[in-house]
Amino acid sequence: MSPAEADALLFGDSLACEVLRPAALLPRPRDPDPALAASGEALLRALAVLEDGARPEEPEGDDHALARVEAKLDLLTVLVAGLVRQEDADPVRRLAWSARGARLELPEAPAEATGLFRVRPADWLPSTLVLPASEIARDTRADGVRCWLRFDPMPPALEAALERHLFRIHRRAVAESRRQKQET
């Protein structure tokens, strides 16, 4: 597949964000972790509760306050587990991503066509989101390689949580752009 075709497939008619984020493409283990999707969904849902705050359609009350406390406890658990694991920090890379896949700039081409795409979804949170992915296109450049990765089919709840997370990133970028235009 050509890079243009890969761009159309991954980003054509879906919300996509271009950001600088700590990210990596890791080798896929022989025995995939069945809890990978559930942990990714839990991370994105907890981020949504904390970053979105109260929504106008949801009354601010005991249920919402309890959901926020539960989300904070979930993230605290993830943080403690991350400290125990002592994961190496991924380098910050230029990244475009949607709920379908990602375009990632790497210093060298990956050895395998399938792998695990790992990204830190929030600047303030050291936890990472890990999604199985397959390389569908590659563009070799003087300073490295650009890889187009299509995410493996994911449970609908994880896909919805990822779309919501990307929408929040997009919304913040639009607001920042508007604020910069007003300042000039």
Side-chain angles (χ1 to χ4, degrees), residues 93 104-110 135 138-148:
R93 296 192 164 115
L104 183 62
E105 295 183 12
L106 299 169
E108 59 188 37
E135 183 180 3
R138 179 183 296 180
D139 180 24
T140 304
R141 308 164 67 149
D143 60 345
V145 65
R146 235 186 228 177
C147 294
W148 282 259

Side-chain angles (χ1 to χ4, degrees), residues 4-48:
E5 292 169 327
D7 263 344
L9 177 70
L10 299 178
F11 313 120
D13 61 349
S14 65
L15 178 65
C17 299
E18 290 197 36
V19 292
L20 292 172
R21 281 261 176 262
L25 182 61
L26 310 171
R28 191 179 296 202
R30 289 184 190 263
D31 299 321
D33 184 0
L36 201 58
S39 66
E41 180 186 343
L43 174 64
L44 292 174
R45 286 190 184 282
L47 277 170

Side-chain angles (χ1 to χ4, degrees), residues 30-167:
R30 289 184 190 263
D31 299 321
D33 184 0
L36 201 58
S39 66
E41 180 186 343
L43 174 64
L44 292 174
R45 286 190 184 282
L47 277 170
V49 169
L50 293 175
E51 289 183 344
D52 284 353
R55 290 203 227 153
E57 67 269 16
E58 295 176 352
E60 183 72 41
D62 291 341
D63 288 342
H64 185 71
L66 181 59
R68 287 181 59 82
V69 168
E70 287 176 354
K72 287 178 182 179
L73 286 174
D74 288 345
L75 285 176
L76 183 60
T77 303
V78 169
L79 285 171
V80 170
L83 289 173
V84 170
R85 268 187 270 128
Q86 291 292 320
E87 281 184 1
D88 292 331
D90 293 322
V92 174
R93 296 192 164 115
R94 184 162 303 286
L95 160 73
W97 60 326
S98 73
R100 293 183 186 150
R103 182 181 64 234
L104 183 62
E105 295 183 12
L106 299 169
E108 59 188 37
E112 301 285 327
T114 61
L116 296 174
F117 171 71
R118 182 171 67 190
V119 64
R120 202 170 89 196
D123 291 332
W124 56 270
L125 183 67
S127 299
T128 57
L129 174 66
V130 179
L131 300 169
S134 299
E135 183 180 3
I136 60 171
R138 179 183 296 180
D139 180 24
T140 304
R141 308 164 67 149
D143 60 345
V145 65
R146 235 186 228 177
C147 294
W148 282 259
L149 308 168
R150 180 171 37 192
F151 299 143
D152 289 4
M154 56 182 89
L158 175 56
E159 187 173 352
L162 181 55
E163 286 173 351
R164 185 175 174 192
H165 178 70
L166 291 168
F167 177 75

